[in-house]
Amino acid sequence: MTTPNQNEHAPAPSDFIRDVVAGDVKSRKHAQIHTRFPPEPNGYLHIGHAKAICLNFGIAHEFGGVCNIRMDDTNPAKEEVEYVDSILADTKWLIDGWADDNLGLKPRGKTPDTKVNGNKTDFELSAIRNPKSEIPVEPFHASDYFDQFYEYALQLVRNGNAYVCDMTPEQTDEFRRLGKESPFRDRSVEENLDLLVRMKGGAFPDGARTLRAKIDMSSPNLWLRDPVLYRIRHAEHHHTGNKWCIYPMYDFAHTLSDYIEGITHSVCTLEFEVHRPLYDWLLASLDLPRPLPHQYEFARLNLTYTVMSKRKLMQLVNDRLVNGWDDPRMPTISGLRRRGMTASALRSFAYHIGITKYPSMTDVALLEHTVREEFNRSAPRRLAVLRPLKIVITNYPESKVEELAAVNNPEDPGAGSRKIQFGRELFIDAADFTETPPPKYFRLKPGGEVRLKYAYIIKCDEVVKGDDGAVIELRCTADLESKSGGATSSRKIKGTIHWVSAARAIDAEVRLYDRLFTVPEPDADGDFKSFLNPNSLDVVNAKCEPSLADADPQVSYQFERLGYFALDPDSKPGKPVFNRTITLKDTWAKETRKH
RNA sequence: UGCCUCGUAGUGUAAUGGUAGCACCAGAGAUUCUGGAUCUCUUUGUCUAGGUUCGAAUCCUAGCGAGGCAGCCA
């Protein structure tokens, strides 16, 4: 029934939720599988949301269904349009080329259809699949159902399943903790109706009253102890303006949104597990003629060396500890994208971490592996020098320039080759030379030899120093027979280093990123901000081979021996800015750390 | 504290009463004009104790441990 997981060339994932869905498909329980991704627009999406997106859209994709994107916007105090826009953009980016066919949107401005089914009133708003539509579309919004929610609230009051409560928030908390019934619990239907209408009409101030479900104050499950369904908030909502002064709570709104949209499998994270009985109670306590949704829970993603809560990410942004939500060090989808990570790599990561109910801590090394694996196959290779050190090839003619062939991608013969220029004066990376080589060092050292990639074997004859003793230039001689493909080109030289022509190289700003935090679990104890990595960003002025002047913003390049780099939007014509997405694996660095 | 859920190599996950596998990480080697990639090999595991069964990671009981919930947030 499942189809291969498109870009991963791996079998379709299997987990306990997909098992349930597969079973329902087999038994023809539903006409079509329908999931949803319901973020609250109160922050930017992060890689944890990416896991949820890959799950919900993955299920829709694998079983030929639809996944609605829905703004769970029932709290006007916290939500903003900026977040709505970023959430839509990030979601589309993540599923682009993979599950666009399964994206469920709604016609702009459309609200649920009202149907009379016998003497039952039913509300329904079906999704249309994104790409085929000619009409303007938008994501679903829970706030588009405020009228319907209110009708359902009235129904709950009429059938004796809800009441208006006048207790203060503090009293409500205390009574729920103690399992004590509210003194307002047994108001008549008429009085409840009258109060609810007046609540809606703005007769009472914020917090004065609530609408509560009438369930069971002695239940061991706190969420069944008459949970609040509506609260009074005289506040402007980003989507509904000033139309409402009462707003539904999560449980009420979310459950009924699922029903209205015809969701079959409502997948959420573990903290909502204890809410499931309430979810089911709500659906059972209303007259709902169509098939009911079911809720399933999985463990949210935890990643080492980062924080994931929106509150903490917001704090990093507000305290200017990073440069915005899309700072490439952030675990946000926009940050990871700006850093140069691809949607397919993120999807592949989501595939590898799996779906369980165990609250695990995933090693960020797995993400890094996934990214490297993809780029190793796809990234065009280029030469760039991060910290330039000038070298002069003293036996190479001053006016001579040679064009040498450089392989674009050894993993992909079809990628062909390009020409790079060699001359008397070059830059190499300062990190590739030392006067005091440790054991097993095979880069350049005084009197030592090294291969210049695609070019000659050179020997370091002289180290030129400035007044302060710092190395400013190396004078070398080349083995002129050793050019790649030449007479002595097969001489075994341990080290090969990268270089650029001093005359032809272009300048670029390169931003080198490292982990944002210095410890694997920054929010385990203490103030997570005290574990920020002071070296998480290092900006250098690099020298790059000229072809990088026309770098494609959509392409990740491998700077040979250094890592994978992508153009930052800060780039200006003639002044490229590259972000280092991830270094290459560096076993030599590991070796030196050991000594 | 009450309730809910979950415990499989260091990490993440398979095994759905029948040989405990895979990936990442780590380590060793081969190879290499990227100390990359590739290839080979290695270390390490079913939380504990009972029970059911020919047979238990899987089912049952108890214990231990971890996470979640106890907002008029979602």
Side-chain angles (χ1 to χ4, degrees):
Chain A
M1 195 62 218
T2 57
T3 55
N5 209 351
Q6 189 212 288
N7 48 300
E8 286 83 20
H9 303 291
S14 165
D15 53 66
F16 71 98
I17 296 178
R18 278 182 247 243
D19 287 348
V20 170
V21 177
D24 290 346
V25 167
K26 197 175 176 198
S27 69
R28 300 171 189 276
K29 185 172 175 183
H30 310 284
Q32 176 178 249
I33 297 302
H34 211 326
T35 57
R36 99 274 90 111
F37 172 60
E40 182 188 14
N42 68 346
Y44 278 62
L45 259 28
H46 54 64
I47 191 168
H49 294 106
K51 178 182 181 183
I53 291 169
C54 290
L55 212 212
N56 280 295
F57 280 92
I59 289 171
H61 180 244
E62 290 147 30
F63 296 95
V66 178
C67 178
N68 290 2
I69 178 164
R70 176 167 80 221
M71 300 301 152
D72 209 349
D73 54 351
T74 55
N75 184 355
K78 292 187 176 179
E79 297 150 8
E80 293 174 26
V81 179
E82 177 197 351
Y83 299 131
V84 174
D85 296 341
S86 72
I87 287 169
L88 219 212
D90 289 347
T91 304
K92 282 184 164 174
W93 175 77
L94 193 56
I95 67 169
D96 182 51
W98 170 57
D100 344 51
D101 269 358
N102 308 281
L103 172 62
L105 295 167
K106 73 177 186 75
R108 186 170 299 156
K110 175 104 171 117
T111 53
D113 293 327
T114 306
K115 295 177 181 170
V116 179
N117 213 315
N119 49 10
K120 297 172 182 174
T121 309
D122 191 27
F123 304 110
E124 185 175 1
L125 180 54
S126 34
I128 52 175
R129 294 196 184 204
N130 179 33
K132 320 285 192 279
S133 80
E134 299 289 319
I135 54 172
V137 290
E138 64 179 348
F140 292 85
H141 290 257
S143 57
D144 280 328
Y145 318 143
F146 281 174
D147 285 308
Q148 289 73 28
F149 294 160
Y150 183 69
E151 290 301 317
Y152 283 127
L154 290 173
Q155 190 188 136
L156 236 29
V157 170
R158 282 194 210 101
N159 65 22
N161 281 318
Y163 61 95
V164 173
C165 180
D166 302 357
M167 290 200 295
T168 65
E170 294 73 25
Q171 284 174 316
T172 311
D173 285 354
E174 193 191 339
F175 276 47
R176 287 187 70 199
R177 242 194 334 271
L178 270 28
K180 274 174 66 180
E181 296 191 348
S182 162
F184 307 99
R185 197 170 197 264
D186 293 315
R187 289 217 253 234
S188 68
V189 168
E190 291 68 31
E191 188 181 5
N192 281 323
L193 240 25
D194 172 63
L195 254 13
L196 180 55
V197 169
R198 284 159 62 200
M199 271 172 67
K200 184 195 177 218
F204 312 116
D206 286 3
R209 286 178 225 261
T210 56
L211 180 74
R212 291 229 258 161
K214 190 171 179 178
I215 309 179
D216 178 7
M217 288 308 288
S218 66
S219 170
N221 183 336
L222 282 298
W223 286 102
L224 260 19
R225 320 240 267 229
D226 292 10
V228 173
L229 266 21
Y230 267 97
R231 76 283 216 185
I232 300 172
R233 288 284 175 277
H234 293 268
E236 182 172 335
H237 185 280
H238 72 91
H239 196 63
T240 60
N242 289 305
K243 181 176 177 186
W244 295 87
C245 65
I246 57 173
Y247 290 93
M249 297 288 291
Y250 163 81
D251 293 284
F252 190 67
H254 186 259
T255 306
L256 292 169
S257 299
D258 283 346
Y259 174 75
I260 290 168
E261 293 173 21
I263 301 304
T264 57
H265 301 263
S266 181
V267 181
C268 61
T269 44
L270 248 25
E271 65 266 31
F272 297 107
E273 208 158 25
V274 287
H275 293 238
R276 183 162 16 106
L278 174 55
Y279 186 95
D280 293 337
W281 180 90
L282 239 13
L283 295 172
S285 303
L286 290 159
D287 269 332
L288 303 175
R290 286 179 295 118
L292 304 180
H294 289 273
Q295 177 181 303
Y296 305 90
E297 309 87 12
F298 70 99
R300 63 174 350 125
L301 172 68
N302 298 295
L303 252 197
T304 56
Y305 296 98
T306 193
V307 293
M308 210 69 96
S309 88
K310 276 195 216 172
R311 202 194 94 245
K312 285 172 180 160
L313 294 176
M314 175 104 56
Q315 214 175 324
L316 293 174
V317 173
N318 290 343
D319 296 355
R320 305 290 170 105
L321 298 167
V322 295
N323 302 314
W325 286 99
D326 70 342
D327 186 301
R329 292 167 293 184
M330 290 281 273
T332 51
I333 293 180
S334 53
L336 296 168
R337 177 173 60 227
R338 184 167 182 181
R339 173 125 168 197
M341 295 197 183
T342 59
S344 59
L346 256 27
R347 272 182 251 141
S348 178
F349 172 69
Y351 171 81
H352 284 290
I353 58 177
I355 300 292
T356 65
K357 299 187 84 151
Y358 182 76
S360 54
M361 176 64 68
T362 297
D363 193 337
V364 74
L366 183 59
L367 208 212
E368 297 171 345
H369 161 79
T370 310
V371 173
R372 288 193 184 105
E373 188 183 45
E374 175 175 301
F375 286 157
N376 178 51
R377 277 185 274 112
S378 66
R381 316 285 130 128
R382 295 290 183 268
L383 297 184
V385 167
L386 261 23
R387 293 178 177 82
L389 171 60
K390 190 173 177 184
I391 69 170
V392 177
I393 314 295
T394 53
N395 63 338
Y396 197 87
E398 246 170 85
S399 55
K400 188 172 178 183
V401 173
E402 275 183 282
E403 294 224 311
L404 305 172
V407 173
N408 283 331
N409 185 349
E411 305 294 320
D412 176 11
S417 64
R418 66 192 186 284
K419 295 288 186 195
I420 52 175
Q421 287 92 21
F422 187 85
R424 180 181 162 92
E425 299 195 348
L426 311 169
F427 291 115
I428 65 167
D429 242 311
D432 286 332
F433 172 79
T434 183
E435 289 186 281
T436 53
K440 290 196 273 182
Y441 182 87
F442 42 86
R443 299 177 185 182
L444 196 56
K445 58 189 177 189
E449 282 192 312
V450 78
R451 155 79 65 185
L452 294 178
K453 180 91 179 175
Y454 303 123
Y456 300 90
I457 294 167
I458 58 164
K459 181 177 181 183
C460 175
D461 302 316
E462 187 188 347
V463 179
V464 182
K465 295 183 179 178
D467 296 337
D468 60 352
V471 178
I472 53 174
E473 184 181 305
L474 265 24
R475 299 185 73 79
C476 307
T477 44
D479 173 351
L480 295 172
E481 301 298 316
S482 67
K483 189 166 71 175
S484 299
T488 53
S489 69
S490 57
R491 273 178 60 202
K492 291 292 177 209
I493 297 292
K494 258 302 200 185
T496 299
I497 65 173
H498 55 97
W499 54 275
V500 293
S501 155
R504 306 300 178 100
I506 62 158
D507 292 303
E509 175 179 328
V510 177
R511 299 173 182 170
L512 306 172
Y513 298 103
D514 197 359
R515 291 167 178 171
L516 225 205
F517 293 93
T518 55
V519 296
E521 296 181 49
D523 48 8
D525 43 34
D527 179 13
F528 73 102
K529 295 199 287 327
S530 65
F531 302 113
L532 279 164
N533 178 4
N535 305 314
S536 60
L537 171 59
D538 188 10
V539 181
V540 298
N541 294 307
K543 296 285 186 183
C544 307
E545 66 166 86
S547 69
L548 252 10
D550 306 312
D552 183 341
Q554 302 300 316
V555 171
S556 283
Y557 296 90
Q558 183 193 106
F559 293 179
E560 290 208 48
R561 301 210 308 132
L562 297 173
Y564 298 100
F565 297 75
L567 226 41
D568 188 90
D570 285 348
S571 298
K572 303 272 188 306
K575 181 70 168 99
V577 177
F578 287 96
N579 292 320
R580 182 175 69 194
T581 311
I582 184 78
T583 61
L584 251 30
K585 260 169 75 177
D586 191 347
T587 46
W588 171 243
K590 215 177 329 185
E591 185 70 26
T592 51
R593 244 179 278 131
K594 278 192 286 190
H595 299 295

